[in-house]
Amino acid sequence: MRVPAQILASEGLLDAIIKDRSLNQLVNVATLPGIKKASMVMPDVHEGYGFPIGGVAAMDYPEGVISPGGIGYDINCGVQLLASQLQIKDNRDAVEALSKELHAHVPAGMGKGGTIKLTTEQLDEVLAEGANWAVNHGYGTRESLSYMESHGKLNDADPAFVSTMAKNRGLDQLGTIGSGNHFVEVDFVEKTYNNTIAKTYGLQKGQIVLLIHTGSRGLGHQVATDHIRKMMMAMSHYGINVPDRELTCVPFNSKEGQEYFKAMCAAANFAWCNRQIISWEVKNAWENIFGKEGGDLRLLYDVAHNIAKIEMHTIEGTSRKVIVHRKGATRAFGPGFKELPPEYKGVGQPVIIPGSMGTCSYVLAGTSKSHEMTFGSCCHGAGRRLSRSAAKRQANAPVLKEKLREQGIFVEAGSFRGIAEEAPIAYKDVGSVVDVVSASGIAKKVAKLKPVAVIKG
DNA sequence: ATGTAC
């Protein structure tokens, strides 16, 4: 190990953490060339490809390594939160119709294409421009870009390093959520914890909000597959040995490192464009149900939780440039961060933490403590405690769907398999996860969101 | 997560 391993958890959460390989993986990551300070995991950690999901690793720029396993196959998987002007108490009766309308507007499910069919030239524009492409083509407003991490676009993207196969997979996938834990969810604000920040973000008790959780679909997956294969062949050339082949990596400033990074940025841009177009479709569905009385759906914020970023961080008293890998970890920058829209600058970045299906989600605010402790990062969700296959064995999807309906939560899902894999028993308690990050000081609790409808793949 | 392993 070149650096220590750092675990953020409570005693209760450790039980689930020690059952899988996530701590071995945490230790493995600590061996990677150029890693600074510590190999870190958040309380929602679980086993992933090479790196644990819920992990943060910062490498020296530009000699340290970049590793696709530290980002994940779903490049720029992330969450967007939309705030409405309606209260749940006045609109309970409309929820079922709204969930059906959302389902009709947002294709969900494995391999599902959408209504937008891009030409290869247009796809290259999307890869270079991110959410800007959506806005330039009538999907949303320009001011919404200020409310997205990195303004919905990474400038280092280069479509030339995205393979034809990856591009072909993406041609009809804009505006689709995919499967697994991806969803569109209707929630209401059950509770606020910090009234000043809640007010700054425009959140109040009883308000209806919407969450969109998806990423770069088959395109991002293919980018990861292609570059992992190339890196595996190149790694020995750079004299790098890793304890697990899934940790394949090359120096950031190497040919293969640069090609992967530029392709990863392009896939991240595809994901931001995707969430922006889904957001536009969600607004169409909303308008169809509520008409003009429905009011505006305002983009509160959009965060990435599977990404690598070049950032400045203070390490042993010195400010240095690092390659921060966040895999199942959300950026959580504190007050004063210049990228934030002016009205959020005093309170820190919104950190959006989706819980498991039918439980609840949280909005937090980044703090300066996160810069000291976790390279400006926080957890990203509840975190699995059961594998997909174990969840399928233990969950009874039809019964679960009916149970959630009795609790006032409509689930629109493409398959019972999807529901079983995402059953709440397959996940840790998101409240306990959020309490750990809140107690550690890396983020502040702002609001708790309760679902009333979930659209899944 | 993913046209569910090349």
Side-chain angles (χ1 to χ4, degrees):
Chain A
M1 288 167 75
R2 293 170 195 264
V3 293
Q6 174 182 306
I7 307 160
L8 212 54
S10 59
E11 237 177 283
L13 286 168
L14 271 178
D15 286 345
I17 295 172
I18 58 171
K19 279 190 185 129
D20 67 14
R21 291 185 60 249
S22 51
L23 294 188
N24 305 44
Q25 294 184 327
L26 169 71
V27 167
N28 289 346
V29 172
T31 68
L32 296 181
I35 188 166
K36 304 303 288 181
K37 210 162 149 181
S39 169
M40 302 172 181
V41 286
M42 300 292 155
D44 55 340
V45 61
H46 55 108
E47 188 177 323
Y49 178 86
F51 285 56
I53 296 164
V56 178
M59 306 345 189
D60 229 347
Y61 175 94
E63 300 86 5
V65 296
I66 185 161
S67 178
I71 288 128
Y73 273 86
D74 189 6
I75 295 165
N76 191 5
C77 185
V79 199
Q80 182 167 123
L81 173 59
L82 300 167
S84 86
Q85 299 168 359
L86 298 185
Q87 287 282 314
I88 187 66
K89 64 172 164 33
D90 310 322
N91 294 286
R92 275 273 179 198
D93 295 348
V95 170
E96 188 168 6
L98 176 63
S99 65
K100 290 194 158 56
E101 192 70 11
L102 286 167
H103 195 45
H105 275 75
V106 184
M110 169 85 70
K112 255 290 183 44
T115 52
I116 300 172
K117 316 282 182 203
L118 298 173
T119 64
T120 48
E121 291 75 21
Q122 286 174 316
L123 182 69
D124 279 353
E125 290 168 16
V126 170
L127 295 173
E129 297 167 20
N132 289 262
W133 190 91
V135 166
N136 291 341
H137 289 77
Y139 305 99
T141 61
R142 187 151 300 281
E143 50 270 30
S144 64
L145 297 173
S146 316
Y147 296 86
M148 305 178 86
E149 178 172 331
S150 298
H151 294 186
K153 176 192 173 185
L154 295 181
N155 291 323
D156 291 316
D158 190 341
F161 300 114
V162 177
S163 71
T164 305
M165 196 194 285
K167 287 179 184 177
N168 286 341
R169 287 179 72 171
L171 288 174
D172 69 344
Q173 290 186 323
L174 278 186
T176 67
I177 56 170
S179 65
N181 63 4
H182 291 167
F183 61 71
V184 173
E185 196 174 89
V186 184
D187 297 75
F188 67 92
V189 179
E190 190 185 63
K191 186 177 176 183
T192 59
Y193 302 90
N194 183 315
N195 290 330
T196 311
I197 306 180
K199 207 173 160 202
T200 305
Y201 290 166
L203 290 171
Q204 51 178 288
K205 198 174 167 185
Q207 175 186 13
I208 300 178
V209 299
L210 295 109
L211 275 178
I212 298 162
H213 181 194
T214 186
S216 52
R217 310 286 286 98
L219 181 142
H221 193 276
Q222 193 63 46
V223 165
T225 303
D226 294 340
H227 287 266
I228 284 170
R229 188 178 300 146
K230 284 183 190 167
M231 268 190 205
M232 277 182 172
M233 293 189 292
M235 194 166 50
S236 63
H237 175 73
Y238 298 103
I240 299 171
N241 282 303
V242 290
D244 174 353
R245 68 195 297 273
E246 293 184 353
L247 288 169
T248 188
C249 58
V250 291
F252 180 76
N253 59 5
S254 67
K255 177 178 175 281
E256 294 81 6
Q258 283 299 295
E259 290 181 2
Y260 168 67
F261 182 62
K262 288 170 183 177
M264 185 220 71
C265 290
N269 287 346
F270 183 83
W272 268 310
C273 188
N274 187 28
R275 286 199 290 276
Q276 183 54 38
I277 286 169
I278 292 169
S279 187
W280 180 80
E281 286 291 1
V282 163
K283 284 177 196 176
N284 289 339
W286 181 266
E287 225 174 276
N288 286 352
I289 296 300
F290 294 112
K292 286 276 169 280
E293 266 87 275
D296 186 33
L297 290 183
R298 177 179 57 89
L299 174 55
L300 192 144
Y301 209 63
D302 180 301
V303 294
H305 55 224
N306 276 7
I307 204 158
K309 292 278 197 67
I310 310 299
E311 293 170 0
M312 296 300 290
H313 286 279
T314 305
I315 301 159
E316 288 162 5
T318 319
S319 181
R320 343 173 40 126
K321 212 181 237 190
V322 281
I323 309 140
V324 185
H325 295 68
R326 295 194 181 92
K327 184 197 200 171
T330 308
R331 196 185 67 181
F333 282 1
F337 176 50
K338 69 172 188 315
E339 185 191 288
L340 288 175
E343 67 268 37
Y344 295 174
K345 213 167 276 180
V347 298
Q349 183 205 310
V351 177
I352 308 162
I353 312 293
S356 53
M357 180 176 58
T359 55
C360 62
S361 299
Y362 288 85
V363 180
L364 289 87
T367 65
S368 54
K369 188 92 181 278
S370 79
H371 296 260
E372 292 165 29
M373 284 181 67
T374 53
F375 294 108
S377 316
C378 185
C379 64
H380 85 307
R384 279 197 170 274
R385 51 179 287 272
L386 295 180
S387 69
R388 290 182 186 280
S389 52
K392 258 184 290 186
R393 283 193 299 272
Q394 292 189 30
N396 184 331
V399 170
L400 174 61
K401 187 176 174 178
E402 193 45 45
K403 231 175 83 187
L404 289 170
R405 200 189 170 94
E406 282 164 18
Q407 293 168 30
I409 303 166
F410 294 99
V411 180
E412 297 280 340
S415 69
F416 280 126
R417 171 186 153 170
I419 295 180
E421 286 185 359
E422 295 303 317
I425 52 151
Y427 282 86
K428 299 175 201 181
D429 171 37
V430 67
S432 312
V433 169
V434 162
D435 282 344
V436 168
V437 295
S438 155
S440 73
I442 61 171
K444 281 182 189 170
K445 276 159 84 166
V446 177
K448 182 180 182 182
L449 313 177
K450 190 87 191 146
V452 291
V454 192
I455 289 88
K456 295 192 71 70

